[in-house]
Amino acid sequence: MLGIVAIPGVVFLLGVLLLPDSPRWLVLRGRKDEAFTVLHQLRGHEGEARSEIADIEEQLAQIEGGYGLFKANANFRRSVFLGVLLQTMQQFTGIIVVMYYAPRIFEVAGFGDNAAMWGTAIVGLVNVLSTFIAIGFVDKWGRRPMLIAGFIIMTIGMFTVGTLLYFGTGDSELARYGAVTMLLAFIVGFAFSAGPLVWILCSEVQPIKGRDFGIACSTFTNWLTNMIVGLTFLTLLNTIGNAQTFWMYAAFNAFFIYLTLKFVPETRGVSLEQIERNLMAGKPLNRIGL
């Protein structure tokens, strides 16, 4: 059980060997020609690659000082706030309760122990496969549209599961499998949106001088909210009820659609340097990618 984890570890290792070095890391070490080669491969246009190298050199000339910048600069505080908000949204979608307590959820829906364990495996498989949607379309559809679509699907999924649990699945095969179908729809919605895209956005919206500090704050928030959701789920089931707990998470996801529209920028095709310039110029958060 523990040893089999080495298999994906080996796959990750082989994948890392194929990754190019970061252009910023190369420029920082004076290897501009190699940095240009990497950027040219990524961007596909020589002029764009040279312009980005110039921007990188300009930014690397600045001294990093995340906490000092956080205290002194209100615009940087906005980007840290956005990273914290994104990670909070990701965890309060309810994904952790589905992944941690899948056997209990299948039990509540009326399935036996064996079916619950198989259901847990299916949840993990759907989660992995659906992530490929994000890989294939994030740079075609954009971050915001995919986030909004994901939150809509997750809202519908959680609300429907709660409604089916409220009226009871009983001996109805249709109701039980309907609950499972909507639960898996929720997983699909998360896996192509909030799951991967929140991490992308958290790295894109932080300025270079404070990127380490900003990402540290957002990552801390991720695990703090993960703990809160994990610790409270069973208590919620036992106090407010099964259906009401899923309705609560449906309401969270619906609210996150509004927060995405109000605060989250579209960063597709925009360089990190341009995002930083827009942020520091005081543009609204949802427009720093324009």
Side-chain angles (χ1 to χ4, degrees):
M1 179 174 154
L2 296 175
I4 199 170
V5 180
I7 296 174
V10 171
V11 174
F12 280 129
L13 175 61
L14 295 175
V16 168
L17 296 176
L18 301 175
L19 288 174
D21 288 319
S22 161
R24 280 169 180 73
W25 184 85
L26 291 169
V27 172
L28 188 62
R29 284 151 182 79
R31 295 157 63 178
K32 287 177 57 176
D33 290 341
E34 294 176 62
F36 170 76
T37 300
V38 173
L39 279 171
H40 194 207
Q41 291 173 345
L42 291 173
R43 306 301 183 216
H45 190 275
E46 181 177 337
E48 187 176 347
R50 294 197 184 281
S51 175
E52 194 161 338
I53 284 179
D55 288 337
I56 290 171
E57 288 180 311
E58 180 182 340
Q59 284 198 331
L60 290 177
Q62 304 177 39
I63 300 173
E64 288 204 25
Y67 182 62
L69 185 64
F70 181 79
K71 291 191 297 181
N73 193 296
N75 286 319
F76 178 50
R77 290 196 292 272
R78 292 191 306 140
S79 70
V80 174
F81 156 77
L82 180 56
V84 167
L85 175 65
L86 285 165
Q87 295 289 6
T88 302
M89 289 163 58
Q90 185 196 70
Q91 294 302 313
F92 276 92
T93 57
I95 185 61
I96 290 306
V97 303
V98 175
M99 301 304 291
Y100 285 1
Y101 298 109
R104 176 66 190 274
I105 294 170
F106 279 90
E107 179 186 333
V108 167
F111 290 90
D113 291 341
N114 289 335
M117 293 306 296
W118 276 108
T120 304
I122 293 171
V123 164
L125 179 63
V126 170
N127 187 30
V128 171
L129 294 178
S130 300
T131 305
F132 285 98
I133 300 174
I135 293 172
F137 295 101
V138 65
D139 287 324
K140 295 179 182 177
W141 296 348
R143 282 70 160 147
R144 266 173 45 118
M146 292 188 72
L147 271 179
I148 292 169
F151 286 133
I152 291 172
I153 291 171
M154 287 187 280
T155 299
I156 295 170
M158 281 293 194
F159 179 80
T160 306
V161 170
T163 301
L164 289 171
L165 293 178
Y166 180 78
F167 289 106
T169 54
D171 296 326
S172 171
E173 291 286 326
L174 181 62
R176 283 202 295 268
Y177 284 104
V180 170
T181 299
M182 296 312 296
L183 196 66
L184 294 178
F186 168 87
I187 294 293
V188 172
F190 177 85
F192 77 73
S193 63
L197 300 190
V198 160
W199 293 104
I200 294 173
L201 284 162
C202 282
S203 66
E204 290 178 331
V205 300
Q206 304 299 339
I208 190 68
K209 279 185 68 176
R211 182 158 294 144
D212 290 349
F213 179 85
I215 293 177
C217 288
S218 61
T219 303
F220 172 81
T221 302
N222 177 278
W223 288 107
L224 177 64
T225 50
N226 179 299
M227 180 186 71
I228 291 170
V229 173
L231 286 175
T232 57
F233 177 63
L234 294 181
T235 302
L236 288 169
L237 289 181
N238 293 325
T239 52
I240 68 175
N242 299 330
Q244 290 78 3
T245 299
F246 283 91
W247 284 339
M248 183 188 74
Y249 283 109
F252 284 157
N253 281 286
F255 182 54
F256 295 156
I257 298 170
Y258 164 76
L259 292 180
T260 300
L261 291 170
K262 185 170 180 62
F263 295 111
V264 179
E266 177 53 68
T267 56
R268 179 185 61 153
V270 184
S271 71
L272 299 178
E273 292 74 27
Q274 183 60 45
I275 293 171
E276 178 174 341
R277 281 193 289 267
N278 291 338
L279 172 72
M280 293 307 189
K283 279 192 173 184
L285 284 174
N286 62 0
R287 298 183 63 81
I288 61 174
L290 299 178

